Amino acid sequence: AAITPRIDAFAAESVLFERCYCQIAICGASRTSILTGLRPETTGVVGNDDQWREAVPDAVSLPRQFRDAGYRTFASGKINDPRNGDLDDAWDDQDERSGVDSAEPALALLDRVAEGDSGEPFFAALGFDQPHCPWTPTPEAAAAHPPDSAERSIGPGRETRAGWINRCLPDARDDDAADLTAITELTEDEARAAVSGYAASITDLDAMVGAVLDRAGELGLLENTIVIFWSGDHGFSLGDGGAWGKWTNYDSATRIPLIMQVPGTPAARVEGMVEAVDMYPTLLELTGVGLPAQQLDGVSFAPLLAEPEQPWRSAVFTRYGWSRSVKDERYNLIVDDWSGTTSLFDRVDDPQELSDIAAEQPEVVARLRAVLDAGPGSADPR
């Protein structure tokens, strides 16, 4: 497991959502969903080259909605994916660098936030490159996560693309020795290096998060401010389901961290399932900012902050390519509309989703298939 003392401390005094899911496990399309409050099924933005402003020309991005409401808006690092098009004049102040592997740009941005009128509300989005490939952790983080100490099962399947190895583990193989698009098999050493490299990169991120929280506190920016730590993209599979990387509907690729510190809200752990597309309406409700032009697909989970144990969504929905998924409290049903295959995983007894039990549980498959076909609205909290 990654060593994350600063994030752990932040979580201990905040609301930790145990089960938050992105809509699609690919960078640009996931960020588009978050920033517009619309699902990929609504926008048609399912890849990193689909242009969101052409797909939904009347939609207003989350930061632009806050800017229009009188907030000063700031951005550092990767917030939207520029391959999907620029945001809609959302930022008053933007550091346009996409990949940021240092806290310095974020700290400089916080200094600029503090220079403004203290009476004006602000919206600041800070993005970091870690733990995106390639993994090049600091020597200190790498030493804390040696490959031979990997605590998790590597899993029986280690097939992946040679390009994945070369990008994430640039020292693993020689560029000229393999077709980067060919399917190859990770060695045991490479698999363990992947697990430890990913964890070490998260530890480096933890230090940057700590630096940001410290500077924001020193500048008095945390007073009456909602602070959120979360992944803007997706999770990452490290052998789960036999998969390496993203581009799937497994829990490891679609489940993301979400921790919120809201003034006046006590620390809590929320087990109710929420989705990344819900963040847009949640922030609008918490701040009193009005609704945008588009009809949002997400549902505000602000009520969970006041009553963390109340029943919430009965299921969450993800997709990638021709593959669609619905996850309830226990199971993950994945339907591939191209191949016609159906898989079912018990995420309680088999958290790495290594055993497909669809043939053994036809009644569960039928029940969840009905939910999947009914669509996300059928599982919204009542």
Side-chain angles (χ1 to χ4, degrees):
I3 300 171
T4 54
R6 295 306 304 270
I7 296 172
D8 293 347
F10 178 68
E13 56 188 23
S14 306
V15 179
L16 170 64
F17 290 82
E18 299 274 11
R19 290 182 290 186
C20 179
Y21 290 85
C22 71
Q23 269 45 73
I24 185 167
I26 185 171
C27 303
S30 181
R31 288 172 185 265
T32 296
S33 183
I34 293 165
L35 291 167
T36 62
L38 302 174
R39 296 179 183 274
E41 292 86 348
T42 299
T43 64
V45 177
V46 295
N48 285 335
D49 296 317
D50 298 326
Q51 301 300 296
W52 78 273
R53 295 178 73 179
E54 295 176 8
V56 282
D58 295 329
V60 178
S61 74
L62 175 61
R64 177 58 190 265
Q65 187 70 6
F66 274 91
R67 189 178 188 187
D68 287 347
Y71 282 65
R72 294 180 297 138
T73 55
F74 300 82
S76 172
K78 184 178 179 181
I79 307 304
N80 66 300
D81 193 314
R83 291 172 293 182
N84 294 100
D86 295 330
L87 287 187
D88 46 355
D89 194 27
W91 308 114
D92 290 307
D93 184 331
Q94 180 183 16
D95 178 348
E96 295 186 354
R97 287 173 288 185
S98 179
V100 177
D101 56 6
S102 163
E104 292 307 316
L107 300 181
L109 182 136
L110 291 177
D111 290 341
R112 297 197 296 274
V113 173
E115 291 169 0
D117 182 352
S118 61
E120 286 186 299
F122 69 91
F123 179 105
L126 313 176
F128 295 102
D129 203 33
Q130 285 85 349
H132 199 286
C133 289
W135 299 317
T136 54
T138 60
E140 296 80 9
H145 300 85
D148 60 3
S149 69
E151 297 177 359
R152 66 197 306 284
S153 169
I154 298 301
R158 294 204 294 272
E159 287 191 345
T160 185
R161 293 192 181 276
W164 184 94
I165 303 171
N166 197 266
R167 184 174 185 184
C168 292
L169 300 171
D171 297 329
R173 301 191 182 188
D174 187 339
D175 260 349
D176 299 327
D179 174 1
L180 298 186
T181 65
I183 299 298
T184 188
E185 184 168 335
L186 293 172
T187 67
E188 180 72 15
D189 287 346
E190 287 169 340
R192 291 193 173 277
V195 173
S196 60
Y198 188 77
S201 293
I202 294 174
T203 292
D204 281 333
L205 172 65
D206 180 76
M208 287 182 268
V209 169
V212 165
L213 292 173
D214 288 344
R215 180 66 62 87
E218 293 164 3
L219 295 171
L221 297 176
L222 298 181
E223 301 171 11
N224 198 35
T225 299
I226 298 170
V227 182
I228 306 167
F229 171 82
W230 67 330
S231 167
D233 286 352
H234 44 72
F236 204 84
S237 296
L238 295 165
D240 307 79
W244 295 84
K246 42 189 176 181
W247 315 293
T248 73
N249 284 305
Y250 294 121
D251 251 32
S252 53
T254 56
R255 186 177 173 185
I256 61 175
L258 173 60
I259 308 169
M260 295 183 66
Q261 192 171 94
V262 181
T265 300
R269 299 176 81 95
V270 176
E271 293 189 2
M273 294 184 292
V274 299
E275 297 178 293
V277 75
D278 298 332
M279 182 58 67
Y280 197 138
T282 301
L283 288 177
L284 297 187
E285 180 174 347
L286 291 174
T287 58
V289 170
L291 294 172
Q294 70 269 29
Q295 182 175 346
L296 299 174
D297 288 336
V299 176
S300 170
F301 52 74
L304 285 172
L305 297 170
E307 191 180 340
E309 297 182 1
Q310 67 177 292
W312 203 243
R313 283 190 183 278
S314 59
V316 294
F317 298 77
T318 66
R319 70 175 304 119
Y320 183 77
W322 291 94
S323 177
R324 299 179 292 143
S325 166
V326 60
K327 302 171 177 65
D328 68 2
E329 297 284 340
R330 180 163 192 159
Y331 297 101
N332 180 14
L333 178 74
I334 301 174
V335 175
D336 190 313
D337 292 323
W338 180 265
S339 65
T341 57
T342 298
S343 301
L344 180 70
F345 299 94
D346 184 331
R347 290 148 47 240
V348 175
D349 290 343
D350 177 26
Q352 280 191 255
E353 297 177 301
L354 299 176
S355 299
D356 180 0
I357 58 171
E360 304 164 24
Q361 301 279 358
E363 70 287 352
V364 176
V365 171
R367 175 175 61 81
L368 289 179
R369 181 60 191 260
V371 176
L372 180 63
D373 291 341
S378 66
D380 285 349
R382 303 301 180 186

